[in-house]
Amino acid sequence: MILYQLAGFLGSGKTTLMIRLGNELAQRGRRVAIIVNEIGEVGIDGDLVSSFGLESIELTEGCICCSLSGSLQSTLKTLADGYKPEYVLLEPTGLALPSRVDKIVRTSLVPVERSVTIALVDAYRVERLIDQSGHFFKRQLDGASVVALNKIDLIARNQLDGIVEMIRELNPDIEIVPISARTGEGVRALLERVRL
Amino acid sequence: LNEENSKLMSGVGSHGLRASLRLAREMSTDEIRNRLEEIIMRIARLASGDGERAIGHIKAFVRMGDGHLKISVVDLDLGTETIDSLEEGATAGSINLMAAIFGLDDDEIEEIMELELGRSRDIEFSIEHHDHEQRREKEVD
């Protein structure tokens, strides 16, 4: 099982990228499981994923990096024992800490051949979000394999270098791949970077 | 900072609700979409204090007959982003709605969402109320 965690703050485009990756893997005939976690009591993204013909498991009533860690581990075990997916696409809530989710996966006793964390950052809103909650934003980048700087279709090209610099101030060593999950721009480069 | 609860750490409050909906008059799918987008934008304006507070995410998934509608707002200037596959003819359905906003607590967001749904006349909503005590016990867990 190869696990891709699509992490990132609320509204950063995780579900849009998830649907794109899910369709890509399905077209290649791969066995894929999608796990979506919502912050509230009601699910929304699972319904959207299903409307694109992809099957998903939705975990609600809490956050998988906090109160729902046991649910995530048991879901992974159930999948590993039954459906036996080659790939798991995991979308935590926009308020989860990816490093904590990764730890929960590692301690699940489920054999994971490779685990990759893609941290999505909303290029359009990044400055305001850092202003509002810089410490939390920084924590969300910790442990990510790569940053997918999303929504580049909504910014002027001459803004890109400044935004990359803002992210580098929070995490100097992380690789940043500019993408638009909506238009598909840069997604091929991201897939190559994460070997998907 | 509470290192054990990432939601508290973020400074974001949130609320999610489920409601049934019914058209109060005959409406085209374009009208339904426009009305629902207006409601979501009103919630966004009110909850963000006309942009004073940053929006985390406000999103809704609506089912009517065999069709559906996903509406999403992350910023007042960007407005709504909508995926529309509504089909003509349906007069009732359901909505799952979630809002997450910086600087408001969960109850304040709930109040705003219920207020705006309650103001709607062309589309009537009946909210499924849940047990708050049960929710708080779960949060304490």
Side-chain angles (χ1 to χ4, degrees), chain A residues 63-81:
Chain A
C63 174
I64 52 174
C65 90
C66 302
S67 55
L68 281 185
S69 58
S71 295
L72 175 59
Q73 290 184 328
S74 63
T75 300
L76 288 171
K77 276 180 200 153
T78 303
L79 282 171
D81 294 343

Side-chain angles (χ1 to χ4, degrees), chain B residues 5 15-16 19 21 27 29 31 39-40 45 60 64 68 74 79 82-83 90 117 120 122 129 132 135:
Chain B
N5 187 324
H15 180 68
L21 63 88
M27 295 167 78
T29 54
E31 269 188 291
I39 291 165
I40 302 299
R45 279 194 206 94
M64 292 185 74
H68 66 265
V74 296
T82 303
I83 299 170
L117 292 187
S120 168
D122 293 341
H129 286 278
H132 281 250
R135 180 173 82 178

